[in-house]
Amino acid sequence: MRFDFACLQKYPNVRIKWKNRYGQFDYFNFYVVSKKNFKTEKRTYQPQIGTWTGATLSYNNYDSQNLNYLVDSGQGISVNTFWIPEDYNDILKQLMVSDEIYYVTTESSDTLTPITIDTDSVTFKTKAVDKLIQYSFEFRYGQGYKLII
C-alpha cells in the first residue's frame, strides 16, 4: 500500500485546468498564496439637474450631478507554484500556450470558470543554476463581473 501524507496547507488550493498540446486536459494545483483582483473602467456624464415647474427650476436633494452610463469590469487571479522540479517546465509551457484554460472552483471538478493567461513571459529555471524553483502566473477571468452575476 502506498500512502501520501500531505502537510496542512496554509493557503487554499487553486486548481488550474487546461488543454495540453495533445488535446487532453492537464491540471496543476497552486498551493502557495493566490490573490484575486478586480478592476473597473467607467464613463460618466453630467445630466441636467432639476425640472422646470412653472417659472422656477426645482431639483431634489438626491439628484446627482455625475452619473455612470458605461461601467465595465474585469476579474483576475494571480497564483504561485510550490517549489517544483525542472521537469515541470514543459508542462508549464503548455499552460502558457493553451487556448482553453479553466479555474476549477470546487474540488469535485464540476464547476469551471473560463480564464485566459495574462502572463506572457516566464524565465524557466534549471536545477543546475537554481536549486529551488517557484513560478508566478496571472490569469484573467473570461467573463466579466456583470455576466457572472
Side-chain angles (χ1 to χ4, degrees):
M1 286 191 197
R2 178 178 176 201
F3 292 98
D4 289 330
F5 292 103
C7 297
L8 182 63
Q9 299 296 326
K10 182 176 181 181
Y11 304 105
N13 179 33
V14 173
R15 179 176 282 184
I16 304 295
K17 180 178 181 179
W18 71 92
K19 189 182 287 186
N20 64 21
R21 66 181 174 180
Y22 304 109
Q24 300 298 313
F25 281 98
D26 281 335
Y27 69 90
F28 193 86
N29 293 317
F30 294 89
Y31 289 111
V32 188
V33 66
S34 63
K35 296 180 181 179
K36 293 184 178 182
N37 57 54
F38 186 83
K39 68 176 183 175
T40 61
E41 295 177 17
K42 58 186 165 189
R43 307 258 191 247
T44 60
Y45 72 100
Q46 294 180 339
Q48 179 65 44
I49 294 179
T51 57
W52 287 98
T53 56
T56 61
L57 177 69
S58 64
Y59 66 94
N60 298 318
N61 290 339
Y62 54 84
D63 286 344
S64 176
Q65 191 173 357
N66 294 315
L67 293 175
N68 294 335
Y69 73 90
L70 176 65
V71 178
D72 196 13
S73 63
Q75 296 183 87
I77 186 168
S78 63
V79 295
N80 296 292
T81 66
F82 202 66
W83 304 108
I84 58 174
E86 179 183 354
D87 302 335
Y88 280 91
N89 287 354
D90 190 50
I91 294 170
L92 296 176
K93 287 178 189 176
Q94 293 179 38
L95 167 63
M96 291 189 64
V97 299
S98 179
D99 59 344
E100 202 171 332
I101 307 173
Y102 299 100
Y103 169 39
V104 181
T105 54
T106 59
E107 289 297 324
S108 62
S109 299
D110 61 352
T111 306
L112 301 175
T113 302
I115 56 176
T116 57
I117 190 162
D118 268 351
T119 303
D120 57 358
S121 172
V122 172
T123 302
F124 286 106
K125 301 175 183 178
T126 62
K127 62 184 175 186
V129 178
D130 305 293
K131 301 300 181 209
L132 300 174
I133 302 173
Q134 186 178 24
Y135 297 109
S136 293
F137 294 99
E138 299 265 341
F139 296 97
R140 186 174 2 113
Y141 283 49
Q143 299 171 339
Y145 180 72
K146 290 181 179 180
L147 183 61
I148 293 174
I149 291 176

